[in-house]
Amino acid sequence: MKILEGFKKVMEFVVVIIMMLMVAVIFLATVGRYTGIFSIPWSEEFARYCMVAMVYLASMLAADKGSHFAVEVVPMLFPKKVVNVICVINIIIVDLFSVFILKQGWKIASKMLSQGKLTPMLEWPLGIVYMVIPVGLVLMAIYYTAYNIRKIRSKEEK
């Protein structure tokens, strides 16, 4: 699907930008601390939130390639029809888990936003920071489902 491919390209770009920002801030903070010229007191918090965002947003990129939830021996031991049934069961489990996390994450993030809680140093809305987790997992589920549907529809016999 062209929409998923286009969105994947955007997310690859976003993850790379987040990584570059994280590395730049950590590098500057380290140089500043080592030389004693300056310090960036919020650098560790920024790096932590960047890392969390990268993990959850990049999980969809891995899921699109089938890099998650793989047990390599299953396709080697069973015929394609059995593997397809296992794929469908796996899709259902991953999607149900993602919906559960979305509901719980939304509850937590909404509560944080309504209470006006902010991150300690950066003073970002904590609800927005927390929302990265359920959004990332739902995106992962969407791309994992699409990957498995492509895999099931493939004509290759193993």
Side-chain angles (χ1 to χ4, degrees):
M1 293 185 10
K2 291 188 187 254
I3 293 174
L4 289 178
E5 278 300 310
F7 188 72
K8 184 176 90 170
K9 297 264 188 241
V10 169
M11 290 310 293
E12 286 173 346
F13 181 75
V14 167
V15 169
V16 167
I17 294 298
I18 292 171
M19 173 76 130
M20 289 171 43
L21 287 171
M22 183 182 79
V23 169
V25 167
I26 291 172
F27 176 76
L28 288 173
T30 304
V31 168
R33 219 173 315 169
Y34 181 73
T35 60
I37 297 172
F38 62 92
S39 71
I40 305 174
W42 47 265
S43 63
E44 290 179 33
E45 185 176 302
F46 181 78
R48 186 176 328 116
Y49 295 141
C50 284
M51 182 60 74
V52 169
M54 282 188 315
V55 165
Y56 284 99
L57 296 177
S59 68
M60 70 165 250
L61 301 173
D64 185 56
K65 296 176 185 168
S67 299
H68 285 294
F69 318 111
V71 178
E72 298 297 324
V73 76
V74 171
M76 292 189 280
L77 294 177
F78 298 104
K80 182 142 173 82
K81 287 184 181 186
V82 173
V83 172
N84 287 348
V85 170
I86 293 169
C87 279
V88 169
I89 293 168
N90 201 4
I91 289 169
I92 292 167
I93 291 169
V94 169
D95 289 351
L96 287 174
F97 176 74
S98 295
V99 168
F100 172 76
I101 293 296
L102 177 65
K103 285 175 63 176
Q104 297 305 313
W106 183 261
K107 242 190 260 184
I108 292 169
S110 298
K111 188 174 184 177
M112 296 287 182
L113 286 170
S114 68
Q115 292 175 349
K117 295 199 177 203
L118 302 173
T119 61
M121 296 297 290
L122 294 167
E123 297 185 356
W124 290 350
L126 203 51
I128 303 279
V129 174
Y130 277 40
M131 191 54 76
V132 170
I133 296 169
V135 167
L137 285 176
V138 167
L139 290 172
M140 180 197 68
I142 291 167
Y143 279 83
Y144 187 67
T145 301
Y147 165 79
N148 276 300
I149 289 170
R150 286 192 311 267
K151 188 168 131 183
I152 290 169
R153 287 181 179 170
S154 73
K155 302 292 183 210
E156 281 183 29
E157 255 330 292
K158 283 233 171 181

